[in-house]
Amino acid sequence: MERIDVGVLGATGMVGTRLVRMLEGHPWFRLAEVGASDRSRGEALGRLVADDDGGPLWDEAAKMVVKSVDDEYTSPILLSALPTGVAKDLEPKLAKAGHLVVSNASSHRQDPNVPLIIPEINPDHISLARKQIGKQGGAIITNPNCVVAGIAMVFHPLHEAFGLEQVVVTTFQAISGAGKPGPASFDMIDNVLPFIAGEEDKIGNEVRKILGKVTERGFDNPNIRLSATCARVPVLHGHFASVSLAFRKQPHVDEVKSVLNGFRGNVIQDGLPCAPARPIEVMEAENRPQPRLDRDRGDGMTVTVGRIRPCEVHHVKMFVLSHNLVRGAAGAAMLNAELCHARGLTARPAATAQR
Ligand code: NAP
C-alpha cells in the first residue's frame, strides 16, 4: 500500500513527540512535515526534542526542519498537538484548506459538527467528519481529554450492558499531562495539587458525547450524571482514576468483570495498526493496576482496571489506569487517523493549503 503523507503540528511538545515516535515505520502513514511555534522554526526537530524516555528520535524525523504553524502544509492528514488557544483558530482554517485535522486539543470537542471519537466505542460518529468534508473539503476530528480516554472505554461496555446512570470519579493525574515544561519540581515533589484548571468540567460532557448517538436531529446523549474531582500527583506518566458507578440494573461484580474482559471494541474488522488486541484488561491482584507497572500495557493503548468491588453508596467501584500520552493523546489521535483512512475519508488527492 502506498503510504499517505501526514504532518505533526506541535511536534516539539509532549504529545507531538509521541506522535512523531509512533509514526516511525508506520505501515499506512509517512511523516512528511513537522510544525511548532515561531520559536522552533528552522531548527532540526532532533535538536529541539530532548531525549525523553523513548531515547533519541529516529534519524529521518530528527533531521526534519521544523516549520511554523503559519507556513504552508501539503499533507492530507495533519495530526495536531497544539495548545488549545492556537488550535481554536488554526484548525478550522486548515480544515477549510482541505486537510483532515486530527486534534488532541479541547477547542472543538464540543462543536456539534465535530466528532469526538474513541474508535473502539463510537466509530460511526465519523459521519460528522464526512459531512464537514462534503461542505468544505477538509474536516476536524477530535480525541477526548486524557482522563476521559481511559474511563469512557470502561463506561461504554458497562453502559451497554447495565445502563450507566451515575458516576463519581476522582483522578490522580500524571505530570506529563500538563505538557512542557510542566509544574515546577518544587510544587510537585512530596506533594499533591488538588486543582487542574478546566479539567473537571470537561469530563462529564465528553463522556456523554462519546457515549451518545449521532441522529438526523443532532446528538442524542445519555443522561449520565457525573461528578469529577481532579488532582495532579508526582507520577511521570499514567492517569489513575477511582470511579464509583450506579446503574439502571444493579450488576454483580463478576458480571462487571466478565463484560470488561470480553470487550474488544467496534473496530476489530478495520485492522487499525495502533489498535491493541485488548482495549481493556482487568487485573485481579489487589495491588494493581499501578502507573509505573501497567501504563505501557498494549504499548500504552490498553486501559487497565482493578479492584472491582461492591460500592457501599453506588453499585460498584474500581480503579482505572490509562497512559495519558498514548491512549489519552498521541495513540488516540493515531487511531482516529487510521480509522479515517480505513473508512475512506482520506482517499483524496493531497490537499494544497490555500489559507
Ligand atoms: P506541550 O508539551 O506544551 O507542547 C505544545 C506544542 O505546541 C509544542 O510543540 C509548542 O512548540 C507548540 N506551541 C506552543 N505555543 C505555540 C504557538 N503560539 N503557536 C504554534 N505552536 C505553539 O503540550 P502537550 O502536552 O503536548 O499538549 C498538546 C495538546 O494536546 C494540548 O492541546 C493539550 O491540551 C492536549 N493534550 C495533552 C495531553 C497530555 O497528556 N499532555 C493529553 C491529551 C491532550 P514550541 O516547542 O515551539 O513552543
Side-chain angles (χ1 to χ4, degrees):
M1 187 197 283
E2 200 180 321
R3 292 191 300 166
I4 187 166
D5 281 357
V6 306
V8 174
L9 306 179
T12 54
M14 283 279 179
V15 177
T17 310
R18 286 275 170 166
L19 281 165
V20 169
R21 289 188 188 285
M22 292 187 85
L23 284 162
E24 181 178 9
H26 193 283
W28 298 357
F29 302 147
R30 187 184 79 88
L31 180 65
E33 48 199 347
V34 290
S37 77
D38 290 343
R39 296 180 287 276
S40 303
R41 189 183 196 194
E43 295 279 349
L45 184 64
R47 268 176 51 82
L48 295 171
V49 174
D51 298 352
D52 55 18
D53 14 18
L57 271 191
W58 46 293
D59 245 18
E60 218 180 304
K63 286 181 193 144
M64 275 189 181
V65 175
V66 177
K67 297 181 178 186
S68 155
V69 289
D70 295 321
D71 290 336
E72 295 287 294
Y73 287 83
T74 56
S75 302
I77 301 178
L78 294 177
L79 301 168
S80 166
L82 291 170
T84 306
V86 182
K88 188 170 186 292
D89 295 333
L90 185 66
E91 290 179 353
K93 284 186 198 160
L94 291 167
K96 281 200 183 88
H99 300 280
L100 180 72
V101 181
V102 183
S103 177
N104 278 284
S106 61
S107 332
H108 303 287
R109 287 184 195 143
Q110 289 304 329
D111 181 329
N113 300 310
V114 171
L116 175 60
I117 295 187
I118 297 177
E120 287 94 338
I121 299 178
N122 60 343
D124 54 302
H125 288 200
I126 208 174
S127 60
L128 293 174
R130 277 189 211 285
K131 275 194 187 159
Q132 291 182 58
I133 289 171
K135 279 191 191 147
Q136 60 181 14
I140 301 175
I141 168 170
T142 58
N143 47 270
N145 163 281
C146 38
V147 169
V148 174
I151 60 174
M153 188 74 82
V154 171
F155 295 169
H156 166 68
L158 297 179
H159 181 55
E160 297 271 291
F162 313 115
L164 186 57
E165 289 191 328
Q166 289 190 43
V167 179
V168 176
V169 53
T170 304
T171 71
F172 308 76
Q173 297 183 217
I175 300 168
S176 61
K180 280 183 176 171
S185 53
F186 197 79
D187 291 337
M188 217 54 253
I189 295 170
D190 187 29
N191 207 10
V192 170
L193 303 178
F195 176 66
I196 303 176
E199 198 80 346
E200 291 171 0
D201 297 338
K202 286 180 203 156
I203 295 180
N205 290 334
E206 291 190 18
V207 164
R208 287 184 282 270
K209 184 169 178 179
I210 293 164
L211 269 50
K213 305 256 177 288
V214 173
T215 73
E216 284 301 311
R217 298 174 311 285
F219 273 91
D220 180 9
N221 291 348
N223 189 19
I224 297 169
R225 293 179 65 206
L226 186 147
S227 165
T229 302
C230 297
R232 184 84 62 203
V233 297
V235 163
L236 206 50
H237 310 302
H239 287 351
F240 202 58
S242 163
V243 301
S244 154
L245 310 172
F247 299 94
R248 206 159 35 247
K249 176 175 165 241
Q250 177 164 4
H252 189 275
V253 162
D254 289 342
E255 292 178 287
V256 169
K257 286 184 186 174
S258 155
V259 164
L260 294 178
N261 266 323
F263 181 66
R264 292 293 177 273
N266 292 321
V267 283
I268 267 190
Q269 75 285 357
D270 292 287
L272 309 182
C274 287
R278 299 182 64 186
I280 300 175
E281 195 176 327
V282 176
M283 308 193 78
E284 289 294 343
E286 62 188 13
N287 63 348
R288 304 292 277 274
Q290 296 178 20
R292 191 149 45 83
L293 302 185
D294 299 310
R295 62 193 169 209
D296 289 321
R297 283 179 184 268
D299 290 330
M301 292 297 281
T302 294
V303 178
T304 44
V305 184
R307 298 206 58 221
I308 302 177
R309 58 212 192 280
C311 176
E312 296 79 356
V313 177
H314 286 146
H315 294 148
V316 280
K317 54 186 175 178
M318 63 190 77
F319 281 106
V320 178
L321 169 71
S322 55
H323 197 308
N324 54 296
L325 289 180
V326 187
R327 174 52 83 173
M334 286 290 291
L335 212 52
N336 276 347
E338 290 172 357
L339 176 72
C340 290
H341 194 50
R343 299 206 177 178
L345 267 76
T346 51
R348 299 172 301 109
T352 42
Q354 298 290 329
R355 281 186 284 134

